Amino acid sequence: MRTNKISDEERIKAFKLAKKPEVIEKQKLNVRYHVEDFDVNDRPRRFLEAFAAILKHSNYRMALDHYSRVVSRCALCATTCQIYQATGDLEDIPCRRSELLLNVYRRHFTLGGLLKGRISGKDFLTDEKIQEMADGFWNCTACRRCTLECPMGVDHGLITHLGRYILSEIGIAPRALVVSTREQLEGASRNTSAIPIPALKDTLEFLEDDMLEEKSVNIKFPIDVDGSDYVFFPAVSDFLMEAETLMGIAAVFTATGDSWTIGTGYYDGINYGLFYNDRIMERIIRNVDEETDRLHGKNVLIGECGHASRTAKNFMPTFCGGKDARCVVSILEYTHKVWKEGKLKLDPNVVTEKVAYHDPCNFARQRWIVNQPREVLKSFCKNYVEMTPSGENNICCGGGGGTVSIDEIRPYRTTVGGKLKADQIRKSGCDILVAPCANCKKQLRELVEDQGINCQVVGLHDLIYKAIIFDDSLIVKKEGLIFDKPDFSSKEEN
Amino acid sequence: MESLLDFARGPLFRLCFTIMILGLARILSLDVWAIYKAYRKAGDKRMPWKLILSRAWEWFFPVKRISRNFQMYSVISILFHAGLIIVPLFLLAHIQLWKGSVGISWIALPYGWTFSLTIATIVLAVSLFIGRLVIKQARLLSRKQDYLWLLLLLLPFATGFICSNLNISPQSYQFFMLIHVLSGELIFILIPFSKIAHCVLAPLSQVVCAVAWKFPPKTDDDICTTLNKKGAPI
Ligand code: SF4
């Protein structure tokens, strides 16, 4: 089999531990990510308790039973996993990793396993096995690409998801994610980047001024507008890092005239729950729903973010009203729709560089959003190139499954996780890589930087912002450009 | 020997065949029941049927699914499965047996076809065995049963081939036939209780995956109660 292994040097870099030996000793855990201190006593028992509780109140048992019966150990999944391809470590073969949890399940939660265990007195869950899981499940980026390759249809991403969930219930979860969600759910700012409302308003005001100057159009970020069609939840980090994306989105709404708003009660679309804990995920989804309720909004609109869109789309009906749940729209779907309706005019002469599109796994793996952004891009980027494989078969950016937010593992992400992606980007020769996902963008930027690839990583709306052509009626006459401060208290939509 | 063969072909065959059918029916209904229960519990009832069916369909004719990196291994495995199903099902001699005992029959493949398919299946089984041994990823993952199954599946094919194509003495014929029948019956019995149950379960995998991602609506509350974590900080 062809593997694409990293060099020895890269390996040393990727696997360098950022932690002090005392910490490892104290936490009885040797993993690359930082973990908050947790009760280290009796871990196996507590793991099993958490596992039992989760099985009782979830649907995982059905999948685990099915998977335990069908796994054939053919090793085909090894050929797709970007992690295994890069490390060549047999522990990184998806099926092998999934077996870590399936074995615990068989041994402790099935009749046959319990009997066999009783008789042989072997195969108890041990601290070492928990250590292996804590390592393995956070090596995986939960991109679910291997699922497509598995002839038995085993969803290794689901098993990673469940494994992390159980581990987090006993305190083993990356501190970066836990701290962020704590701020989001229990902190004063109610968002993962801890952006207070005044700072948010300042930022938006500043962007509005910028846009007025650049485009001569009064492009607004409507705040707390009651009864809008769309209540907007971007990955909150966009307010800090992706100004152009936000400006592009605001520009699209200005061009179409549809009503949208950002709510100051809750404005974070990020949902790290998807990456490590279903309970957390549920709470975050409920917050999104409540804020939309408060503002009497019709639809939830999620910004350029794969995991935020997928969680809202898939789990809003789960946790907030079944088939009566409110509609969740991704900004990619919205923009594609209005573009198709002819409401969005894009100048084909602005973006002349070679442009490629990266599919965020959470959009493409289930064939949800694959062609829509491509159609829009191709309509105004003359020099569009396709990377292969793409679409549902795309290669993960290497920072999926929340790993991108764990800064201390950056070397791992950019040498191991993103190795295949880096090769793919290099091969495409693109100057601009469009990745409509906050996570992918962060990871890909770090990846191209660390790998020395000369390419700019942007969002879809960054390019739209550049190329958008506004109706003459929207253009503010030059003399009107005496920058009046935009009025945020206004309930009117522009 | 002859009476033993008659017994193996007659009552024993019926018994084993029934065990297989009942066993598979049991396992299939358990699986379907579990899926149904999970679906009932799920807060979101929308099902991506188009995706499920198209992915399941792709695996029925897995041309599109040939692994890019493990091409040989993957093609061999697909062909092996095809041989495994086609040969016993469409072999004239088998169909005649069915006709003689239960009175049903279906079209048979011409002799030349089954002849070559049998050889092919044997060669493929051996190659898969070797594949599992020499491909380091597969070797690492393989359990004892994964090798044993290949050997066991090889047995009825090899003996069947000997009986129908080689000029051997009646005693040897009976001996090989007995092994042919008994090994087939052993396979029947084991199917529902082993990984070979995937013959009926695998087509459901895509549904399992879709339903598994549909969670019950009150996870947080329920689990916090069970784990005594109500009101605990994150
Ligand atoms: S989900 Fe992605 S990273 Fe994880 S094992 Fe599968 S292919 Fe590898």
Side-chain angles (χ1 to χ4, degrees):
Chain A
M1 185 184 92
R2 258 189 303 128
T3 48
N4 226 333
K5 273 215 234 153
I6 48 171
S7 66
D8 289 344
E9 260 161 66
E10 286 174 314
R11 176 177 278 274
I12 292 169
K13 206 165 106 199
F15 289 94
K16 207 175 77 204
L17 264 185
K19 275 190 280 183
K20 294 198 184 86
E22 308 92 82
V23 178
I24 296 171
E25 176 55 31
K26 187 169 115 204
Q27 295 186 332
K28 295 210 169 30
L29 193 69
N30 188 359
V31 288
R32 284 190 309 286
Y33 49 92
H34 293 301
V35 176
E36 292 190 317
D37 283 346
F38 61 97
D39 182 4
V40 294
N41 296 312
D42 229 2
R43 278 195 307 190
R45 185 189 51 80
R46 288 187 302 118
F47 184 95
L48 291 176
E49 265 172 23
F51 201 167
I54 290 169
L55 287 178
K56 186 169 163 203
H57 299 295
S58 72
N59 279 337
Y60 293 114
R61 188 183 273 274
M62 178 253 325
L64 294 177
D65 273 337
H66 183 87
Y67 294 156
S68 319
R69 284 193 188 118
V70 298
V71 277
S72 289
R73 312 246 194 155
C74 63
L76 284 179
C77 54
T79 64
T80 34
C81 177
Q82 82 270 14
I83 306 295
Y84 175 70
Q85 295 277 304
T87 63
D89 293 343
L90 298 171
E91 293 71 38
D92 285 325
I93 297 177
C95 193
R96 164 106 167 193
R97 184 182 301 124
S98 295
E99 277 299 318
L100 296 175
L101 191 68
L102 283 179
N103 282 340
V104 179
Y105 175 72
R106 282 198 207 97
R107 167 63 183 80
H108 293 277
F109 296 97
T110 62
L111 192 63
L114 283 168
L115 285 175
K116 226 164 104 185
R118 267 279 150 80
I119 296 165
S120 69
K122 279 198 308 211
D123 298 334
F124 283 117
L125 177 62
T126 56
D127 272 325
E128 290 72 52
K129 288 184 190 167
I130 291 180
Q131 160 76 49
E132 262 184 274
M133 287 192 267
D135 225 2
F137 290 138
W138 285 98
N139 279 356
C140 164
T141 64
C143 71
R144 302 176 70 208
R145 186 160 179 250
C146 48
T147 302
L148 301 182
E149 200 81 6
C150 177
M152 295 299 131
V154 176
D155 189 343
H156 299 291
L158 179 83
I159 296 188
T160 292
H161 174 91
L162 173 61
R164 291 172 173 193
Y165 180 12
I166 306 168
L167 285 168
S168 76
E169 289 295 351
I170 63 168
I172 303 177
R175 186 160 72 197
L177 301 183
V178 179
V179 169
S180 302
T181 35
R182 187 174 294 140
E183 180 59 28
Q184 186 180 28
L185 291 171
E186 292 168 351
S189 71
R190 304 193 79 201
N191 64 75
T192 46
S193 297
I195 305 176
I197 297 171
L200 172 80
K201 286 186 172 173
D202 275 355
T203 309
L204 296 181
E205 213 172 292
F206 179 76
L207 295 183
E208 284 174 347
D209 288 351
D210 258 10
M211 292 191 284
L212 183 59
E213 200 173 330
E214 286 170 18
K215 299 277 176 189
S216 300
V217 174
N218 251 320
I219 305 171
K220 296 285 181 201
F221 286 102
I223 291 193
D224 284 337
V225 180
D226 203 70
S228 307
D229 286 341
Y230 300 96
V231 179
F232 183 53
F233 300 90
V236 80
S237 50
D238 283 5
F239 291 119
L240 303 174
M241 295 167 21
E242 306 295 342
E244 301 253 312
T245 307
L246 293 174
M247 281 154 53
I249 292 168
V252 170
F253 272 100
T254 305
T256 62
D258 284 340
S259 64
W260 70 303
T261 191
I262 297 170
T264 50
Y266 191 81
Y267 40 91
D268 191 359
I270 286 180
N271 195 333
Y272 289 151
L274 177 72
F275 303 141
Y276 79 95
N277 191 304
D278 290 357
R279 297 196 291 108
I280 302 287
M281 177 166 80
E282 178 179 342
R283 291 187 201 177
I284 297 170
I285 291 280
R286 287 190 194 284
N287 279 356
V288 170
D289 193 49
E290 274 160 27
E291 177 68 353
T292 317
D293 255 350
R294 181 183 77 85
L295 292 167
H296 306 106
K298 285 202 195 79
N299 305 302
V300 169
L301 179 72
I302 308 287
E304 284 197 9
C305 186
H307 90 277
S309 306
R310 174 174 158 219
T311 24
K313 179 91 178 172
N314 286 0
F315 297 106
M316 190 65 90
T318 301
F319 300 123
C320 307
K323 63 178 188 312
D324 301 325
R326 61 168 46 83
C327 186
V328 175
V329 182
S330 153
I331 188 65
L332 301 185
E333 290 177 301
Y334 174 80
T335 299
H336 177 253
K337 186 181 106 208
V338 296
W339 169 79
K340 263 213 134 148
E341 289 166 357
K343 291 183 189 161
L344 197 63
K345 290 192 193 63
L346 301 166
D347 186 348
N349 299 315
V350 177
V351 183
T352 48
E353 297 92 333
K354 207 175 192 183
V355 175
Y357 179 77
H358 160 78
D359 288 279
C361 301
N362 286 312
F363 283 138
R365 195 71 68 229
Q366 296 302 99
R367 302 185 191 164
W368 174 28
I369 297 176
V370 176
N371 290 325
Q372 297 92 318
R374 287 188 164 80
E375 284 175 26
V376 177
L377 271 177
K378 283 183 196 163
S379 78
F380 72 102
C381 301
K382 285 185 202 144
N383 205 349
Y384 177 85
V385 286
E386 196 63 78
M387 298 192 286
T388 42
S390 64
E392 70 169 326
N393 267 312
N394 83 314
I395 296 173
C396 172
C397 62
T403 55
V404 69
S405 310
I406 311 171
D407 281 327
E408 65 268 23
I409 64 168
R410 172 172 173 163
Y412 173 80
R413 283 190 277 109
T414 58
T415 42
V416 174
K419 164 90 172 132
L420 284 200
K421 193 80 220 178
D423 294 348
Q424 198 188 26
I425 300 171
R426 246 187 231 113
K427 204 166 147 202
S428 80
C430 63
D431 307 309
I432 296 180
L433 180 60
V434 179
C437 168
N439 283 359
C440 297
K441 270 185 273 194
K442 177 170 184 279
Q443 158 73 6
L444 290 170
R445 276 186 200 132
E446 293 175 356
L447 183 69
V448 293
E449 189 186 324
D450 292 3
Q451 295 259 353
I453 303 170
N454 190 11
C455 136
Q456 193 195 351
V457 180
V458 299
L460 175 68
H461 287 82
D462 304 35
L463 294 189
I464 290 182
Y465 179 69
K466 281 198 178 122
I468 194 163
I469 306 173
F470 288 102
D471 208 80
D472 277 348
S473 62
L474 291 169
I475 307 287
V476 181
K477 299 280 167 303
K478 274 287 172 212
E479 47 279 21
L481 266 176
I482 312 296
F483 308 111
D484 338 325
K485 276 265 169 334
D487 181 7
F488 281 117
S489 61
S490 154
K491 300 269 174 224
E492 284 295 314
E493 248 261 58
N494 280 330
Chain B
M1 179 87 92
E2 211 176 320
S3 57
L4 196 61
L5 190 56
D6 281 343
F7 173 72
R9 271 176 172 165
L12 192 61
F13 178 85
R14 281 193 286 277
L15 178 73
C16 297
F17 194 74
T18 317
I19 291 179
M20 176 183 76
I21 296 295
L22 290 180
L24 284 178
R26 171 185 159 269
I27 214 163
L28 187 64
S29 22
L30 281 177
D31 213 56
V32 171
W33 178 241
I35 296 174
Y36 173 73
K37 268 199 324 206
Y39 179 75
R40 281 283 303 272
K41 254 166 88 179
D44 174 15
K45 308 278 188 222
R46 303 163 306 168
M47 287 287 281
W49 285 116
K50 224 174 113 191
L51 181 76
I52 293 173
L53 291 175
S54 99
R55 288 216 171 133
W57 181 248
E58 279 174 15
W59 279 111
F60 269 109
F61 296 99
V63 233
K64 249 177 99 177
R65 288 277 160 228
I66 295 170
S67 164
R68 284 165 302 279
N69 279 348
F70 264 159
Q71 240 156 37
M72 268 297 265
Y73 182 57
S74 167
V75 170
I76 288 177
S77 160
I78 292 168
L79 293 178
F80 170 66
H81 279 80
L84 221 48
I85 299 167
I86 294 172
V87 174
L89 216 55
F90 295 103
L91 185 83
L92 186 63
H94 286 178
I95 298 175
Q96 279 167 348
L97 283 174
W98 281 99
K99 197 165 184 193
S101 59
V102 240
I104 49 167
S105 71
W106 53 91
I107 47 158
L109 280 178
Y111 172 77
W113 277 65
T114 40
F115 175 81
S116 12
L117 275 175
T118 310
I119 299 184
T121 312
I122 294 173
V123 174
L124 291 166
V126 174
S127 335
L128 268 187
F129 191 91
I130 297 172
R132 275 207 186 259
L133 274 177
V134 298
I135 299 176
K136 74 165 190 266
Q137 295 88 351
R139 184 175 63 233
L140 172 93
L141 288 169
S142 299
R143 303 155 291 193
K144 264 185 241 121
Q145 57 154 307
D146 296 309
Y147 297 107
L148 288 177
W149 263 111
L150 281 172
L151 296 180
L152 183 58
L153 289 169
L154 198 65
L155 216 53
F157 276 83
T159 47
F161 183 82
I162 294 173
C163 290
S164 45
N165 297 299
L166 301 187
N167 222 342
I168 46 174
S169 69
Q171 283 89 348
S172 320
Y173 177 88
Q174 278 184 348
F175 172 73
F176 282 119
M177 192 36 102
L178 190 65
I179 297 194
H180 177 73
V181 178
L182 288 179
S183 58
E185 287 165 351
L186 182 62
I187 292 172
F188 282 171
I189 299 182
L190 291 177
I191 284 178
F193 307 102
S194 65
K195 66 163 190 171
I196 311 294
H198 74 248
C199 61
V200 293
L201 295 183
L204 290 175
S205 286
Q206 300 300 332
V207 187
V208 168
C209 170
V211 177
W213 280 104
K214 304 219 170 279
F215 303 160
K218 267 169 53 265
T219 328
D220 185 22
D221 215 38
D222 289 342
I223 291 181
C224 281
T225 313
T226 310
L227 287 178
N228 239 334
K229 282 191 176 175
K230 269 222 142 135
I234 291 170

